[in-house]
Amino acid sequence: MNRNSTILITGSTGMVGNSIFKYLKNKEYKNILKPSRSVLNLNNKKNVLNYLKETKPEYVFAAAAY
């Protein structure tokens, strides 16, 4: 993973997701996506597929929980 990789973090407002985000920011990663639930509803398959097609993340950290 290089500093310019597109990285998606789901659940970035939770404890684990926020920790991952802070760690990556401290390591100077530049393209971190952390969409809110209203932007990326993981319960909606079509919404998820469209978001992934649009943003093309190279890495995904799935830290979302319900």
Side-chain angles (χ1 to χ4, degrees):
M1 197 162 68
N2 68 54
R3 300 280 192 275
N4 293 315
S5 296
T6 303
I7 303 165
L8 169 62
I9 304 173
T10 62
S12 63
T13 59
M15 181 179 70
V16 175
N18 192 37
S19 294
I20 294 169
F21 173 72
K22 287 179 181 179
Y23 176 83
L24 294 173
K25 272 306 225 191
N26 286 336
K27 295 293 184 179
E28 299 181 1
Y29 285 86
K30 297 176 182 8
N31 298 319
I32 303 171
L33 305 172
K34 50 180 212 156
S36 65
R37 184 179 294 167
S38 63
V39 172
L40 178 60
N41 180 354
L42 297 176
N43 292 318
N44 182 324
K45 182 179 176 180
K46 186 176 180 179
N47 179 251
V48 172
L49 293 175
N50 287 337
Y51 185 86
L52 294 174
K53 187 184 293 186
E54 181 180 307
T55 60
K56 296 179 176 54
E58 297 169 65
Y59 300 93
V60 177
F61 289 90
Y66 183 70

